[in-house]
Amino acid sequence: MRIGQLARSVGVDTQTIRFYERQGLLPPPDRQENGYRVYNEKHGERLAFIRRCRILDLSLAEIHELQRHQDDPHQSCTAVNALLDDHISHVRSQIAALQALEKQLVSLRASCNDDREVEACGVLAGISEGSIHPQQAEASTR
Amino acid sequence: MRIGQLARSVGVDTQTIRFYERQGLLPPPDRQENGYRVYNEKHGERLAFIRRCRILDLSLAEIHELQRHQDDPHQSCTAVNALLDDHISHVRSQIAALQALEKQLVSLRASCNDDREVEACGVLAGISEGSIHPQQAEASTR
DNA sequence: TTAAAACTATATAGTCGCTATAAGGTCAAT
DNA sequence: ATTGACCTTATAGCGACTATATAGTTTTAA
Ligand SMILES: [Zn+2]
Ligand SMILES: [Zn+2]
Ligand SMILES: [Zn+2]
Ligand SMILES: [Zn+2]
């Protein structure tokens, strides 16, 4: 199986596959005489695993760590579960930060209707005043 | 006022101020004979405006557009309000995507307790199976 | 058979909003 | 005279790709 076929089967770009290889997430496959990469089923499974982790918004570093644990199958899975717990709490604090942000934005928006000159725009005035305060800065983290 | 003092007064790094200048968000200030930047109050207000926009998670491009409107004060503010509406809906779809993600993660986490070998870890098994589906991909957008 | 299309390879730069580092010039105080 | 705090520019790094450039290879079709 060459790179294009693998890419299509998993639904990623070929560049992404090479990128994961450079990052050490996907083991370097054998090469044909012409230098083309040749993949087997293991590679396909590994790649699909990575993609499913990415759908869960796990970082490449987190995926790396999961792989380390997978390769040591008789250890306790406590660390794996803990990794997921941490990830869940990251997601939750992102949600909280975004909800607080939404609140600020909605109240800002409420301070203007559409029939004003820019000069009198409630939105611009609201930003220009000091009534906006920094949050946990978790919304922008990532 | 030199760059360090301005930076301290607004709570940013001097690098950030030079960065905004390069991006065209902050007008190039006058220079002393030795090349040092000299800022006035207008610069301070402009910079504070940028920072408050950033707290609201507006992109530099969006801030740029707001500035264009500010510099044309007798136009209608409809576009400003619309920009904010768009931004609010971006934030809302990010929240929705993250909430869906949280749900997936929590259910995945529920499939394992801490007393297993990695081999039998419900979390890893859950990821390895095909039961994970892509979302709107809004959580990772940004 | 040959030419075009489709595929593969590497290397490099761009995205976003900073942040960090390097290597140097300027200024005040000791 | 030297330390230290400040300023300058230029360059690289973050994360997770994505895009482009350039070139070599294989497959398909005229
Ligand atoms: Zn995480
Ligand atoms: Zn308005
Ligand atoms: Zn926006
Ligand atoms: Zn487990």
Side-chain angles (χ1 to χ4, degrees):
Chain A
M1 198 187 220
R2 297 191 312 200
I3 197 169
Q5 198 183 340
L6 176 62
R8 271 187 303 276
S9 81
V10 181
V12 299
D13 195 291
T14 56
Q15 305 258 47
T16 303
I17 295 174
R18 295 191 196 100
F19 171 74
Y20 288 155
E21 183 183 332
R22 278 201 305 283
Q23 299 306 114
L25 286 172
L26 213 49
D30 291 340
R31 302 284 187 129
Q32 290 178 351
E33 285 189 4
N34 56 16
Y36 288 14
R37 290 169 176 81
V38 193
Y39 294 97
N40 58 33
E41 290 167 22
K42 297 268 174 202
H43 288 101
E45 285 166 31
R46 198 86 157 180
L47 179 55
F49 180 85
I50 295 170
R51 290 312 303 184
R52 284 191 288 260
C53 286
R54 292 293 302 130
I55 288 163
L56 297 175
D57 215 19
L58 292 162
S59 70
L60 299 193
E62 286 167 328
I63 297 170
H64 219 89
E65 203 180 329
L66 288 182
Q67 289 183 344
R68 275 198 315 103
H69 291 295
Q70 277 187 314
D71 296 342
D72 206 353
H74 291 293
Q75 294 296 113
S76 150
C77 78
T78 307
V80 170
N81 298 346
L83 188 155
L84 207 69
D85 285 335
D86 282 357
H87 188 63
I88 289 171
S89 64
H90 291 158
V91 170
R92 284 184 174 148
S93 56
Q94 281 179 50
I95 291 171
L98 284 169
Q99 282 172 337
L101 178 59
E102 185 199 359
K103 234 175 126 177
Q104 281 200 69
L105 289 167
V106 166
S107 106
L108 184 62
R109 178 63 180 86
S111 66
C112 194
N113 57 41
D114 282 5
D115 299 321
R116 304 191 191 171
E117 288 189 3
V118 160
E119 225 169 19
C121 175
V123 168
L124 287 175
I127 300 175
S128 297
E129 280 164 26
S131 58
I132 287 156
H133 301 297
Q135 319 252 139
Q136 308 264 15
E138 269 288 350
S140 304
T141 299
R142 315 173 39 247
Chain B
M1 198 189 222
R2 295 191 313 200
I3 197 168
Q5 197 183 341
L6 177 62
R8 273 188 302 277
S9 80
V10 182
V12 300
D13 194 290
T14 57
Q15 307 257 48
T16 303
I17 295 174
R18 295 191 195 99
F19 171 73
Y20 289 155
E21 183 183 332
R22 278 201 306 283
Q23 299 305 115
L25 286 172
L26 213 50
D30 291 339
R31 301 285 186 129
Q32 292 177 351
E33 284 188 6
N34 55 16
Y36 289 13
R37 291 170 175 81
V38 194
Y39 294 96
N40 57 35
E41 288 168 25
K42 297 269 174 197
H43 287 101
E45 286 167 30
R46 197 85 156 181
L47 179 56
F49 180 85
I50 295 170
R51 291 312 305 184
R52 284 191 289 259
C53 287
R54 293 293 302 130
I55 288 164
L56 297 174
D57 215 19
L58 293 162
S59 69
L60 300 192
E62 286 167 328
I63 298 170
H64 219 89
E65 202 180 328
L66 287 183
Q67 289 183 344
R68 276 198 317 102
H69 291 295
Q70 279 187 314
D71 295 341
D72 205 354
H74 291 293
Q75 294 296 114
S76 150
C77 79
T78 307
V80 171
N81 297 346
L83 188 155
L84 207 70
D85 285 336
D86 282 358
H87 188 62
I88 289 171
S89 64
H90 290 158
V91 169
R92 285 187 174 145
S93 56
Q94 282 179 49
I95 292 171
L98 285 170
Q99 283 173 336
L101 177 60
E102 186 199 359
K103 234 175 124 177
Q104 282 200 68
L105 289 168
V106 166
S107 108
L108 184 62
R109 179 61 181 87
S111 67
C112 195
N113 57 42
D114 283 6
D115 300 322
R116 304 194 190 168
E117 287 189 4
V118 160
E119 227 170 17
C121 175
V123 167
L124 286 175
I127 300 174
S128 297
E129 280 164 25
S131 59
I132 287 156
H133 301 297
Q135 320 250 141
Q136 307 264 12
E138 269 288 351
S140 305
T141 299
R142 308 173 46 246

